[in-house]
Amino acid sequence: MFWIGCHLSAAKGYLAMGKTAKRIGANTFQFFTRNPRGGSVKALDLEDIAAYRAFAKENGFGKILAHAPYTLNACAADARVLAFARQVMQEDLERLAHLPEAMYNFHPGSHVKQGEEIGIVKIADMLNCVLTEEIQTKVLLETMAGKGTEVGRTFEQLAAILARVERKEQMGVCLDTCHVFDGGYDIVSDWEGVLRQFDEIIGLESLCAVHLNDSKNPLGSRKDRHACLGEGTIGHMAIAEVICHPKLRDVPFLLETPNELEGYAREIAWLRTIRKGE
Ligand code: FE
Ligand code: FE
Ligand code: ZN
């Protein structure tokens, strides 16, 4: 099944996102759990969630992706920033208990001056603290471009975090095509090889979602500037190969390209022609 969608504004609630997704040809979507650059959160609207779930069932929607705010740094040096990250993650996961269709994706964090080893330990500690028996939501580490002191640029770093997490069955990875390319993985000339590395180091069974973006910068630039599909350094051909890989048939693909809804609709329509009939 081809699960395709894009990032949507959560301002009008879940049912509104579902309807928008359907209108632009999507059968999944991503949204921010709260203001991406802040921390404030709206009251939970259980009626809206119930209405969305009925809508999603009727329309054959797949898993959706809840994205944590950028301000969440699970390996911050500052104790207050770290406490804020834990609180946000805990609260987000409690809220997502009402939405079993959602997976939770977050940027592992920036170690600032502590070094990646300490960063890795802190991120895993945070997950071990937050992931309790009551929480059923799948939690995904996003692959990062490696700008600044971001942890999660290499598959080895992600594997090292996962290895330290106790509730491994609840964890997964979201591969961002712009980030891995900027991070130095050549998905343009060797997608097969990059996936093989992912499989050897992390395990393909952990690949739970893909962020589908072109990149404004060259391979290994460590920049993280998304481009519309075909307008960047990755290009249409490589994007087509990404979505057609036989081992990724059931993985949801989410666009985070710099688009308005019409642009997303066009990209989704094009992607559907590549995965025709699904
Ligand atoms: Fe992200
Ligand atoms: Fe992303
Ligand atoms: Zn990005």
Side-chain angles (χ1 to χ4, degrees):
M1 183 72 183
F2 187 34
W3 302 113
I4 180 67
C6 64
H7 188 90
L8 293 176
S9 160
K12 292 188 177 138
Y14 290 106
L15 181 61
M17 285 192 280
K19 287 183 172 170
T20 301
K22 184 182 179 188
R23 186 156 53 79
I24 60 174
N27 54 13
T28 175
F29 58 89
Q30 172 179 270
F31 59 96
F32 280 122
T33 56
R34 55 182 78 209
N35 182 338
R37 310 216 172 263
S40 60
V41 69
K42 288 192 300 184
L44 254 196
D45 183 347
L46 293 177
E47 257 173 57
D48 176 47
I49 290 181
Y52 167 72
R53 296 190 68 199
F55 175 89
K57 201 169 171 201
E58 234 169 77
N59 289 281
F61 271 44
K63 293 257 179 208
I64 56 176
L65 208 53
H67 197 305
Y70 298 138
T71 44
L72 186 159
N73 185 1
C75 61
D78 185 291
R80 271 170 316 175
V81 181
L82 208 56
F84 170 79
R86 188 170 50 240
Q87 187 203 326
V88 165
M89 202 182 268
Q90 246 154 7
E91 225 172 71
D92 279 355
L93 289 171
E94 269 167 36
R95 290 161 62 93
L96 288 172
H98 298 281
L99 197 64
E101 297 80 4
M103 300 185 284
Y104 186 59
N105 173 69
F106 76 106
H107 295 181
S110 291
H111 66 72
V112 194
K113 283 175 186 145
Q114 307 167 92
E116 71 172 70
E117 290 78 14
I118 291 183
I120 286 165
V121 171
K122 281 190 167 177
I123 295 160
D125 285 353
M126 169 84 58
L127 288 162
N128 284 331
C129 163
V130 166
L131 294 178
T132 58
E133 260 162 55
E134 298 89 69
I135 288 164
Q136 300 294 315
T137 306
K138 203 36 123 188
V139 176
L140 311 185
L141 299 166
E142 182 167 351
T143 61
M144 301 313 293
K147 68 176 183 310
T149 62
E150 276 172 356
V151 179
R153 179 184 68 83
T154 67
F155 297 160
E156 284 82 0
Q157 289 171 345
L158 296 170
I161 297 168
L162 294 173
R164 300 183 77 98
V165 176
E166 283 148 28
R167 299 180 67 80
K168 291 186 174 49
E169 68 287 353
Q170 244 178 287
M171 294 297 303
V173 171
C174 172
L175 184 147
D176 186 309
T177 53
C178 167
H179 297 178
V180 291
F181 188 70
D182 286 15
Y185 291 95
D186 192 355
I187 62 171
V188 174
S189 48
D190 193 16
W191 172 231
E192 187 66 42
V194 172
L195 268 192
R196 197 183 321 118
Q197 276 189 69
F198 187 102
D199 193 29
E200 283 165 9
I201 298 164
I202 301 174
L204 261 189
E205 65 284 354
S206 292
L207 183 52
C208 297
V210 172
H211 282 165
L212 206 55
N213 302 308
D214 211 320
S215 172
K216 291 203 163 127
N217 291 288
L219 174 68
S221 60
R222 303 208 185 176
K223 283 281 208 290
D224 189 5
R225 297 274 314 280
H226 302 186
C228 290
L229 302 186
E231 291 176 15
T233 49
I234 295 176
H236 277 131
M237 292 280 286
I239 294 290
E241 278 184 40
V242 166
I243 64 160
C244 287
H245 197 281
K247 290 192 172 151
L248 303 185
R249 295 233 78 91
D250 294 313
V251 172
F253 293 95
L254 286 316
L255 295 159
E256 299 175 312
T257 44
N259 269 312
E260 302 294 327
L261 288 174
E262 305 76 63
Y264 279 136
R266 272 196 305 276
E267 290 189 335
I268 290 169
W270 174 71
L271 293 162
R272 284 194 179 283
T273 67
I274 310 285
R275 290 262 308 242
K276 47 190 168 293
E278 284 182 76

